[in-house]
Amino acid sequence: MGGKALIVVDVQNDFLTGTLSLSDCPAKQDGVKTVPVINKLINSRDWDLIVYTFDWHPNSHISFVTNSHKFPKHPDSPVTEKAEVYNKVIFDINGSRREQVLWPPHCIQGSWGAELHKDLIVPANSCRVYKGLSKDVDSYSAFYDNDKVNETNLRQLLLDQAIDTTFICGVATDVCVNFTAVDSHEIGFKTHVIMDACAGVTHEGVRGSMEKWKSLGISVISSDEITEGKEEKKKIKEVVVRRSTRVRRPPARYSDTWVAS
């Protein structure tokens, strides 16, 4: 029987309260509210593996709107002059088309914005996966860059621990969570997305992601489906323990002192 991994995607300061705070994005979803839900998930079961993923960009990253003028535009690009946040630009990278949505600078390597939220539980035996390290290609998925040329160490981490099932949460639902879930499924893992432990950029994007997951057979669940199962098992175990340790005494009419546990 294979193991189960919890993959916590990009619960970093910039996405929660910093330069790309989800509460300021069109859907107005508060990423900070995912933290206690994720913490409960971390404590809810004995996970075989917990992985935290990080956007980990250089200052010169292609996704930053402040850098858009530094990369040549492809003739097909709908934006060729001044670009704005959320614009989709097509760059010409070494003769190839590369589509890129532009974002404010975020999760710069070694910065406060790239750190995990201070209230997030991080067990000592957990693992970290860094993505988006190359300046000229983004990496929404925690498995590959957007061109699927370079692979992170996530797949190997899962295989090394004999994981066959992934439970994915974090931010943003319709960006990095979505791409990570789809790749997890395509690689062959039984994949679940925990919706109340996620927050997204746009309502349309979240709906589209959920429709795609369901069409692929990716399971969309709530945290209660994990944590309540744990509590129920705990209650059953406690009842069994109480029953098994109860001292049973013989009727008073007997004079022997027999007891059994």
Side-chain angles (χ1 to χ4, degrees):
M1 185 176 179
K4 294 176 172 57
L6 180 66
I7 301 176
V8 182
V9 177
D10 298 2
V11 184
Q12 295 164 269
N13 288 324
D14 271 344
F15 293 131
L16 272 56
T17 58
T19 59
L20 191 40
S21 172
L22 287 173
S23 59
D24 295 329
C25 291
K28 304 296 182 185
Q29 296 185 356
D30 187 355
V32 176
K33 292 182 177 178
T34 68
V35 173
V37 182
I38 295 170
N39 286 343
K40 188 175 180 181
L41 286 165
I42 291 168
N43 290 326
S44 70
R45 66 186 306 161
D46 296 325
W47 298 97
D48 298 293
L49 182 65
I50 299 176
V51 178
Y52 297 85
T53 77
F54 290 75
D55 250 15
W56 199 250
H57 298 317
N59 277 301
S60 55
H61 197 251
I62 193 171
S63 73
F64 297 170
V65 65
T66 51
N67 292 330
S68 65
H69 65 285
K70 299 177 182 178
F71 297 88
K73 307 293 192 303
H74 192 276
D76 294 341
S77 179
V79 178
T80 56
E81 299 300 326
K82 183 175 175 58
E84 298 180 355
V85 173
Y86 305 134
N87 282 168
K88 181 179 284 187
V89 178
I90 303 175
F91 293 110
D92 186 328
I93 305 298
N94 299 321
S96 298
R97 298 169 84 260
R98 181 162 294 160
E99 293 187 3
Q100 177 67 54
V101 174
L102 298 178
W103 309 98
H106 61 278
C107 299
I108 294 170
Q109 296 169 7
S111 69
W112 171 87
E115 295 174 4
L116 295 175
H117 189 273
K118 63 182 178 59
D119 295 332
L120 186 67
I121 294 173
V122 182
N125 62 346
S126 61
C127 296
R128 299 185 176 210
V129 169
Y130 296 90
K131 59 190 179 68
L133 283 73
S134 174
K135 74 171 186 176
D136 58 6
V137 62
D138 213 346
S139 183
Y140 293 160
S141 170
F143 289 95
Y144 307 99
D145 65 35
N146 287 0
D147 285 354
K148 289 197 171 181
V149 172
N150 300 299
E151 184 176 2
T152 71
N153 61 328
L154 178 55
R155 183 175 65 93
Q156 195 59 53
L157 278 174
L158 298 173
L159 294 176
D160 287 347
Q161 296 296 319
I163 301 299
D164 68 2
T165 305
T166 60
F167 293 81
I168 301 171
C169 59
V171 300
T173 314
D174 44 337
V175 188
C176 296
V177 169
N178 174 40
F179 280 77
T180 299
V182 170
D183 283 344
S184 171
H185 168 77
E186 290 182 348
I187 290 169
F189 298 107
K190 290 178 284 188
T191 303
H192 308 263
V193 178
I194 310 166
M195 282 304 296
D196 59 324
C198 297
V201 176
T202 71
H203 291 301
E204 296 78 7
V206 171
R207 284 194 294 269
S209 297
M210 292 179 68
E211 290 169 2
K212 183 172 187 177
W213 299 336
K214 290 176 181 178
S215 72
L216 292 173
I218 295 171
S219 177
V220 179
I221 64 174
S222 73
S223 61
D224 287 345
E225 294 177 61
I226 297 172
T227 59
E228 286 182 0
K230 173 76 172 182
E231 289 302 312
E232 187 61 30
K233 289 179 180 178
K234 182 179 178 182
K235 289 177 183 177
I236 293 171
K237 183 177 180 180
E238 287 174 349
V239 169
V240 170
V241 169
R242 284 200 300 270
R243 287 177 177 172
S244 64
T245 59
R246 185 179 62 188
V247 175
R248 295 180 354 202
R249 301 187 182 281
R253 64 178 179 273
Y254 294 116
S255 61
D256 63 67
T257 58
W258 175 87
V259 294
S261 59

